[in-house]
Amino acid sequence: MLETIGLKKTFKRHVAVDDANLLLKKGESIGLLGPNGAGKSTLISMIETLIKPTEGDVTWNEKSIIKQPDLLRPVLGVVPQEIALYKELSAYENVKFFGKIYKLTGKELEERAEAVLKLVGLSDRQKDLVKTFSGGMQRRLNIAVALLHEPEVIIMDEPTVGIDPQSRNYILEMVRDLNREQGLTVLYTSHYMEEVERLCDRIYIMDNGKVIANGTKEELIAILSEEESIELVLEKPISTFKEALEMEPSILRVTQESNGLKLIVPKNNRKLTRIFQLAEQHDASITNVNIQIPSLEDVFLHLTGKKLRD
Amino acid sequence: MWNFFVKDVKVLWRDRTELMVMFLMPFVLMTILGFALQGVMGGSSESFEMEVALVVQDEEEEGKEKLEIDLSESQLPEQARSALLEVSNNFSPASILDELLTEDLQDQLSVTQMREEEAKTAIDQQEIDAMLIIPDDFTYDTLKNMLLGEEVSSTLKIVKGPHANFSASIFHTIIEQFSESFNLEAAITKATGTQVASSPSVEMEVNGETLSVTERDPVSSMEYYTIGMAAMFAFFTASTIASKAFTETQQQVFSRILISGKRPSAYLSGKALAVFLTVLLQLGVLFSLSSIIFGSFRPLSIEDMIGMTTISIFYALAIAGIGALLTTLTVKYQSNTIAGVFSGAIVSIFALLGGSFIPTAGFPEAVQKLGDWTPNGMAMNAYMQSMQGLGADYIITNIWKLSGFILIMVLLSLVLYPRKKVGA
Ligand SMILES: Nc1ncnc2c1ncn2[C@@H]1O[C@H](COP(=O)(O)OP(=O)(O)OP(=O)(O)O)[C@@H](O)[C@H]1O
Ligand SMILES: [Mg+2]
């Protein structure tokens, strides 16, 4: 069981992480969600024993690992946000090197190397230099290396950043299998809502260094249970129309979407007629209307007042 | 450690740019410098004895007075003028030459002052082997060259008897080396002030025929620059390994290594070993190429080989020490600045002081002393001494110095290496 208690990290004056309490039970899959600069990487660096917290504690099975990092290190696998590999070495040479720093040798090393390369689907490219790999392949190898020593806990920092949907899908499936079938405990950082929704049992939402909410997907959505969202698809954006909607007391929030506007309104009180009236007044032509129950994305918006990504 | 070493060597060796810096550049530079600046070094180690006549046509005091007048009439600012005057008062090229011949080289030379006519007769009668003429206005012209940067050539002239071929050529080399040292003084003047100067040239005449400098065997200067460039470029291997460490911190590979719980000593010694073997190879390749292509270091005796190899091992260890320290500082501060400053500034200073570009013999005493304590200076001194057959005693002093240097590097690296955690 991995736990952070009142964890805080200050860089000079800037508070990167503030009073973070996280709990990661054995076999659980936890998502850490937050926009750029929320403090996700800083928080997990402290858990990974890489940087010292300014305040607070991190415990592994109830023992502090601030003073004894070696309690956690051997059973911890990390997937850094960067591609933490030697680009001048081949996939196989990388796997060999990182296997050896975990004291794997001989036949065991060969077997583990083969196994992880197969797991990430790179067996037939293992002789090639990493710098010749595509972004998705590099990301996959980045994960493979973290699994070599069969860790109990794996911490992944945005492992799917900047790759094609296919590679991303592959990685998500793989992580889910590791968690569900092999009982690997997972802490997964991302700013992709759908990834955490798909993978994680529980979700922590971070903003400005603070954990502002946590719970299962359903619990988080319940925060907005009294609301629903209306999506208006517009022929072209009309700013006066948006302003008019914002002035309207029965509409809680208006956000700009790529093809129109999104409105959050109280449940059972959607004044559609009023909306159409305003549209007519401002010459806005509505081509489509969708009424939805709120998504996690809406919850995030509700909590932080901003979108996960721009 | 082996694991780290294998990885570091592969990463280093698969980088084409690095390979060029490690092997191609020093080779090109040593070739250029070796040919362009031939005659700077007297390479021969054979002992010799000869009788020479010194013909002084120069009037030292008169020359200085003339220069003082020139200085006072020049457009230079007051500060510079008085500084130059200071130099001119304390610096007497002709006296230094005289001192070199009659004191420093007293075991090899017996010097008699004569007039030109007397000396000519003496050569014909084989009483002396050669004469050196310090021409009229030598002091004036040399100082003018050095201090005012005016292109006035002053030619030291050697006339040798046909009976004294071998020893006379050594004598010629010595005089030439001396003359070059004025060029070095000039280099310092240039570095600190504004003046550029050329050294007085040396001519040798055999029965009236003048030998041009290019006809001399280039090997000795080639040897010098082989060693000089090899010693200098070894530094870049150390800074390269440190920049690779920087990449490791940036790409968070270093985090992975930290989390694995690996001892810092394994990481550091892998780097140091990679530097050590790479530098050893660098030195070996450059020395061999120089020997094969330009005929340097010949004849090659077993003793020479042992001497050179021993020095190379210690020098490579010293560079490995520098590599370890640079790596330590790089990962400690997660910054590439340290390696950058080292390769950009410190290497240049070491190269100059240690004599990689020009022999230090012409530097002021204090600067020379300083140069003798730079790692490349120690190594170069040791190589030179070994090549001149000065015997183990001389070399050992420099080996001791290098050992001390290595020890300091290792201790600093281990003390400064960030334990367990990085960052604030
Ligand atoms: N070493 C450091 N020194 C100073 N400030 C830092 C340092 N590391 C992080 N920060 C600051 O702390 C804040 C949180 O950074 P962090 O990298 O943890 O965010 P993040 O949630 O991982 O963002 P992203 O999604 O972009 O990776 C940022 O404002 C960042 O500038
Ligand atoms: Mg991050």
Side-chain angles (χ1 to χ4, degrees), chain B residues 50-56 97-114 128 130-132 134 171:
Chain B
M50 64 186 294
E51 303 266 344
V52 292
L54 185 62
V55 180
V56 185
L97 181 55
D98 188 57
E99 197 180 292
L100 172 80
L101 297 179
T102 54
E103 288 174 26
D104 299 353
L105 292 173
Q106 59 176 321
D107 292 344
Q108 282 89 20
L109 298 178
S110 90
V111 182
T112 328
Q113 288 235 9
M114 294 183 194
I128 58 168
M131 68 166 150
L132 172 68
I134 302 181
F171 182 59

Side-chain angles (χ1 to χ4, degrees), chain A residues 11-12 14-17 34-43 51 81 157-158 189 191 206, chain B residues 423-424:
Chain A
F11 293 111
K12 306 244 168 67
H14 178 76
V15 183
V17 173
N36 288 123
K40 306 181 294 293
S41 295
T42 309
L43 175 56
I51 58 174
Q81 188 165 354
D157 196 350
E158 300 186 29
T189 299
H191 42 218
M206 261 191 111

Side-chain angles (χ1 to χ4, degrees), chain A residues 34-37 39-42 44-45 48 50 78-85 138-139 142 155-162 189-191, chain B residues 250-253 255-256:
Chain A
N36 288 123
K40 306 181 294 293
S41 295
T42 309
I44 63 178
S45 292
E48 289 165 352
L50 281 173
V78 297
V79 181
Q81 188 165 354
E82 305 291 325
I83 310 277
L85 301 166
Q138 294 186 355
R139 286 276 164 203
N142 205 26
I155 300 182
M156 312 176 94
D157 196 350
E158 300 186 29
T160 60
V161 152
T189 299
S190 177
H191 42 218
Chain B
Q250 287 315 94
Q251 297 181 344
Q252 302 182 334
V253 184
S255 303
R256 282 212 150 118

Side-chain angles (χ1 to χ4, degrees), chain A residues 149-164:
Chain A
H149 59 295
E150 299 180 277
E152 290 174 36
V153 183
I154 188 165
I155 300 182
M156 312 176 94
D157 196 350
E158 300 186 29
T160 60
V161 152
I163 60 175
D164 59 287

Side-chain angles (χ1 to χ4, degrees), chain A residues 24-284:
Chain A
L24 197 60
K25 287 187 232 148
K26 194 170 161 44
E28 244 188 338
S29 165
I30 297 293
L32 186 56
L33 203 61
N36 288 123
K40 306 181 294 293
S41 295
T42 309
L43 175 56
I44 63 178
S45 292
M46 290 189 280
I47 303 176
E48 289 165 352
T49 72
L50 281 173
I51 58 174
K52 268 205 180 86
T54 318
E55 272 172 39
D57 203 355
V58 183
T59 62
W60 169 244
N61 295 332
E62 263 107 62
K63 290 195 198 79
S64 170
I65 55 166
I66 306 270
K67 292 213 183 63
Q68 287 176 279
D70 290 339
L71 292 177
L72 177 66
R73 284 174 173 180
V75 296
L76 176 70
V78 297
V79 181
Q81 188 165 354
E82 305 291 325
I83 310 277
L85 301 166
Y86 291 102
K87 306 251 160 73
E88 301 88 347
L89 302 189
S90 71
Y92 179 73
E93 285 168 332
N94 267 288
V95 169
K96 265 290 235 337
F97 171 76
F98 288 107
K100 280 181 183 168
I101 66 175
Y102 277 102
K103 303 197 176 69
L104 294 173
T105 50
K107 209 166 154 232
E108 195 191 3
L109 177 61
E110 290 300 332
E111 281 170 10
R112 287 304 302 156
E114 201 181 321
V116 295
L117 284 168
K118 186 158 168 247
L119 183 70
V120 298
L122 287 174
S123 297
D124 45 346
R125 291 292 304 269
Q126 56 173 292
K127 293 265 151 59
D128 297 346
L129 298 191
V130 171
K131 65 179 174 201
T132 67
F133 282 9
S134 72
M137 292 163 77
Q138 294 186 355
R139 286 276 164 203
R140 265 142 61 193
L141 189 61
N142 205 26
I143 297 172
V145 163
L147 294 168
L148 272 166
H149 59 295
E150 299 180 277
E152 290 174 36
V153 183
I154 188 165
I155 300 182
M156 312 176 94
D157 196 350
E158 300 186 29
T160 60
V161 152
I163 60 175
D164 59 287
Q166 236 170 329
S167 277
R168 179 201 293 206
N169 220 17
Y170 189 102
I171 289 174
L172 289 176
E173 288 297 318
M174 186 176 84
V175 176
R176 200 168 55 180
D177 287 352
L178 286 167
N179 173 245
R180 305 258 156 102
E181 278 152 40
Q182 299 182 29
L184 184 65
T185 309
V186 177
L187 178 55
Y188 191 100
T189 299
S190 177
H191 42 218
Y192 289 102
M193 188 68 69
E194 58 280 18
E195 289 185 3
V196 250
E197 272 192 69
R198 213 166 123 185
L199 272 183
C200 302
D201 307 326
R202 279 189 305 125
I203 299 161
Y204 286 80
I205 296 181
M206 261 191 111
D207 189 38
N208 284 329
K210 287 204 163 69
V211 175
I212 51 177
N214 83 83
T216 61
K217 180 186 167 190
E218 291 71 27
E219 284 166 353
L220 288 174
I221 287 175
I223 295 174
L224 291 185
S225 60
E226 297 305 308
E227 298 166 3
E228 58 190 10
S229 72
I230 302 173
E231 208 179 70
L232 300 178
V233 181
L234 297 176
E235 213 172 66
K236 56 177 193 280
I238 297 195
S239 58
T240 51
F241 177 49
K242 184 170 178 248
E243 281 157 21
L245 289 170
E246 277 163 355
M247 304 291 289
E248 194 60 31
S250 63
I251 296 170
L252 301 175
R253 194 166 38 245
V254 183
T255 44
Q256 186 75 51
E257 299 285 308
S258 56
N259 58 352
L261 297 170
K262 191 168 186 177
L263 318 178
I264 302 286
V265 297
K267 212 168 190 169
N268 308 322
N269 191 19
R270 57 176 104 106
K271 304 228 164 96
L272 279 181
T273 17
R274 178 71 186 133
I275 292 167
F276 281 112
Q277 230 172 34
L278 286 170
E280 210 172 296
Q281 273 174 28
H282 295 277
D283 269 345

